[in-house]
Amino acid sequence: RDEYYICREKGINNKKILISGVYKTPEVIEEMLQDGITDFTIESIEQFELLKNANKKIRVIIRITSGNQFGINLEEAEEIIKNHSQYENLDIIGIQYFSGTQKKSIKNLSRELTFAQEFIDKMKNDYNFETRELEFGPGFPVCYFQNEEFDEEEFFKEFSELIKELPFKGQINL
């Protein structure tokens, strides 16, 4: 069952729900909008087209792809941001970047944060777009077996330093 319906059944306040996910039919999105959902992650151009014509103000985060099948490519995301003032009902609050799971390399995470920051800076410099939120999926590793060793404390200490050094001044959600 879709997480949205579980939230609805459990009486979760709609203001606490951010809809993400690659497969949402036009009917499901319309139902969510009718139910008062106002926060979405745009995962495709098709979702963007559906949401830009909503008859109410909604907040959106644009998921940019890391080169896999998920998210919007950089050119499409840039085009949306370039024209952000044309979408009366969309409040584009930021970007999401997530490239996978089981990442044990701080160096790779640093590269990904730098990539996200460079995109944010480009949108600010080229289109005067202020990114207020960065949703970053670090894909932290999980030890599944007892004999696996991983120094979580040191890893998270190093990752925490990366976040502190990031020039981005908006809200960061992991």
Side-chain angles (χ1 to χ4, degrees):
R1 239 169 110 69
D2 186 277
E3 293 90 345
Y4 167 66
Y5 294 104
I6 294 169
C7 289
R8 191 166 73 177
E9 287 171 5
K10 298 295 181 187
I12 304 297
N13 183 324
N14 286 341
K15 298 295 181 201
K16 294 185 176 188
I17 299 174
L18 168 67
I19 300 297
S20 293
V22 293
Y23 183 72
K24 301 285 185 257
T25 65
E27 296 78 21
V28 168
I29 288 177
E30 184 58 36
E31 181 181 354
M32 291 174 182
L33 290 168
Q34 292 294 325
D35 281 352
I37 298 296
T38 57
D39 292 15
F40 290 83
T41 300
I42 294 174
E43 311 254 355
S44 68
I45 289 299
E46 291 78 16
Q47 283 184 353
F48 167 70
E49 291 296 329
L50 288 169
L51 293 171
K52 80 174 186 180
N53 296 316
N55 60 1
K56 65 170 71 178
K57 190 79 163 174
I58 55 176
R59 293 171 10 115
V60 295
I61 291 175
I62 300 172
R63 180 175 181 172
I64 55 175
T65 187
S66 63
N68 58 25
Q69 72 271 30
F70 303 111
I72 296 176
N73 72 45
L74 295 179
E75 293 80 18
E76 292 168 330
E78 185 173 342
E79 188 67 22
I80 292 169
I81 290 170
K82 174 182 172 185
N83 298 308
H84 71 275
S85 63
Q86 295 178 15
Y87 312 119
E88 293 178 14
N89 296 327
L90 291 186
D91 180 12
I92 303 171
I93 62 171
I95 64 163
Q96 179 193 70
Y97 187 72
F98 174 70
S99 68
T101 62
Q102 290 297 89
K103 295 184 211 159
K104 295 182 178 179
S105 169
I106 291 294
K107 188 175 178 180
N108 286 344
L109 287 169
S110 176
R111 273 196 294 265
E112 291 180 359
L113 283 168
T114 297
F115 171 80
Q117 182 67 56
E118 288 172 352
F119 184 78
I120 289 167
D121 292 344
K122 179 175 177 30
M123 297 305 99
K124 172 71 173 164
N125 294 334
D126 291 358
Y127 309 112
N128 198 31
F129 177 78
E130 195 67 46
T131 302
R132 293 174 278 160
E133 290 190 26
L134 167 61
E135 189 173 296
F136 181 75
F140 291 139
V142 173
C143 294
Y144 289 106
F145 305 102
Q146 288 181 354
N147 62 347
E148 287 183 88
E149 290 188 25
F150 181 69
D151 188 348
E152 286 181 350
E153 188 173 326
E154 181 61 26
F155 180 81
F156 289 126
K157 180 181 171 189
E158 290 179 36
F159 182 76
S160 179
E161 288 303 315
L162 287 178
I163 295 294
K164 288 178 187 173
E165 293 170 5
L166 197 65
F168 181 70
K169 299 300 178 212
Q171 179 174 319
I172 299 175
N173 303 314
L174 300 179

